[in-house]
Amino acid sequence: CLSLRRIPDAHVSAKSPHYAEGLYDLNHCVYSWMVPNGSWGESNAGLIVGGGASLLVDTFWDLKYTRAMLDAMRSLTEAAPLKYVVNTHGDGDHFWGNELVKHAEIITSQPALKEMRRLNPKSMVLLGSVGKAFSEIKVLGTDKAGHWLQNMVAPYDFQSVSPAPATRTFEGKLMLNVGGRQVQLIQVGPAHTQGDLMVFVPDAKTLFSGDILFIGSTPVMWAGPVENWLAALDQILEMDVETIIPGHGPITDKNGVRQVKAYWEYIAAQVGHRYAARMSAVDAAHDIARSAEFADKPFANWNSPERIVVSTHTIYRNLRGQTGHLQPLDMLNLMWKQAMLAHELREAQ
């Protein structure tokens, strides 16, 4: 296969980029498309090339950024046409560009497909509109929270997206033949979402973890339980893998996995204590994020620390035995509470 230099693109993080956006050659005919710095919508993707066929791992939040990636990969995919597209879960920033690759077989887990079918890009348009409206109300930080919501979705064109969910699903594990190469899909959800999966390339000792890993970026848990997420991290640590492409953030190895594990172990314990003390979920999130103890932890400097609001809310729901998805108004309220914390935290984007 071809050896490509990194090809930078124009997508700029809200903070100074810690690494360049573009296509990275990971050797062994495996490539990743990296987007700094791993905040909202700043997700990664990948390409696995075999003899005359290739597999794409994930697309992006809109067509513009997906098209830029596909254009950069064109010399590879012309020689080895896309046979498969694998979406690591059902969040829009990992599959809303699928309509550009509908000629390939699109695969995900069964729970992820259910989530794909219920997600609507118009909800992100609404979120931006709400942010714009509140950005003009200069009371108790309302304008700053409004700007946060508005800026989160501003780089993306959700109006042009026509979601193309997966055409094939699996449960457990699935082995694919990609031009003579074995590529394994491993279902590990529910954790980040209901349907998380990872893509393992054994002959390259390379793993695309999806959003089981956020590196240098605070992870967010929409589904849980946290025990499942920790089990998935332990599974990675036991694998014969050297190069790991996270769903968000820079390329890593098992040290990055250990850092994410330490984060979840700490958060689970801290949230559990506050749940037992009957503190509200939002108060618990604020209390943890603004504590001196948290400030001394390595993950206190990760971007998007406000995501702790969603994760705390999810852990509370799990502790109460509640499952299923939030209703749209409940989700909007949760995002608003998250925005309010974001503008208070120096590290928040």
Side-chain angles (χ1 to χ4, degrees), residues 4 30 33 46 87 150 208 236 255 275 321 326-327 329 338:
L4 296 183
V30 179
W33 184 271
N87 297 127
Q150 190 176 5
F208 292 87
I236 298 173
N255 286 329
Y275 176 83
L326 293 173
Q327 295 301 311
L329 287 179
Q338 186 168 251

Side-chain angles (χ1 to χ4, degrees), residues 150-197:
Q150 190 176 5
N151 291 338
M152 183 178 74
V153 301
Y156 308 99
D157 177 13
F158 299 110
Q159 296 278 12
S160 65
V161 174
S162 297
T167 55
R168 175 182 174 186
T169 63
F170 75 100
E171 293 183 353
K173 294 182 179 181
L174 176 65
M175 190 70 76
L176 298 175
N177 185 314
V178 182
R181 304 183 72 176
Q182 298 300 304
V183 177
Q184 188 176 43
L185 311 187
I186 306 167
Q187 182 180 0
V188 291
H192 167 66
T193 64
Q194 295 292 337
D196 304 299
L197 68 91

Side-chain angles (χ1 to χ4, degrees), residues 25-250:
D25 185 345
L26 306 180
N27 299 317
H28 310 289
C29 298
V30 179
Y31 306 84
S32 62
W33 184 271
M34 309 301 298
V35 180
N37 289 319
S39 190
W40 299 95
E42 297 172 352
S43 55
N44 302 323
L47 186 72
I48 302 159
V49 178
S54 60
L55 180 154
L56 180 69
V57 181
D58 283 336
T59 57
F60 295 134
W61 229 355
D62 73 359
L63 304 186
K64 175 176 58 177
Y65 291 114
T66 301
R67 188 174 287 112
M69 173 183 69
L70 295 174
D71 287 347
M73 293 176 172
R74 192 169 309 283
S75 59
L76 295 166
T77 55
E78 284 180 347
L82 282 180
K83 182 178 181 180
Y84 302 112
V85 175
V86 176
N87 297 127
T88 56
H89 56 290
D91 281 351
D93 58 337
H94 293 261
F95 95 93
W96 277 349
N98 278 5
E99 63 182 285
L100 298 179
V101 289
K102 288 194 294 185
H103 56 283
E105 185 172 30
I106 304 175
I107 305 173
T108 196
S109 68
Q110 181 62 40
L113 178 60
K114 291 180 180 178
E115 292 192 314
M116 287 176 170
R117 287 172 171 165
R118 62 180 293 275
L119 287 172
N120 190 328
K122 292 180 180 178
S123 64
M124 303 308 297
V125 177
L126 174 61
L127 199 63
S129 298
V130 169
K132 182 178 180 180
F134 279 104
S135 68
E136 299 174 1
I137 303 174
K138 300 182 182 302
V139 178
L140 299 175
T142 297
D143 58 327
K144 294 183 175 64
H147 281 301
W148 182 88
L149 286 173
Q150 190 176 5
N151 291 338
M152 183 178 74
V153 301
Y156 308 99
D157 177 13
F158 299 110
Q159 296 278 12
S160 65
V161 174
S162 297
T167 55
R168 175 182 174 186
T169 63
F170 75 100
E171 293 183 353
K173 294 182 179 181
L174 176 65
M175 190 70 76
L176 298 175
N177 185 314
V178 182
R181 304 183 72 176
Q182 298 300 304
V183 177
Q184 188 176 43
L185 311 187
I186 306 167
Q187 182 180 0
V188 291
H192 167 66
T193 64
Q194 295 292 337
D196 304 299
L197 68 91
M198 304 187 297
V199 180
F200 179 42
V201 191
D203 66 3
K205 296 186 178 182
T206 298
L207 179 74
F208 292 87
S209 71
D211 282 6
I212 291 300
L213 286 180
F214 290 65
I215 300 299
S217 179
T218 307
V220 58
M221 186 164 61
W222 297 104
V226 69
E227 291 79 8
N228 281 9
W229 200 317
L230 290 168
L233 296 173
D234 284 336
Q235 185 173 350
I236 298 173
L237 292 173
E238 294 171 359
M239 296 173 69
D240 185 15
V241 61
E242 296 175 354
T243 303
I244 305 172
I245 301 86
H248 296 256

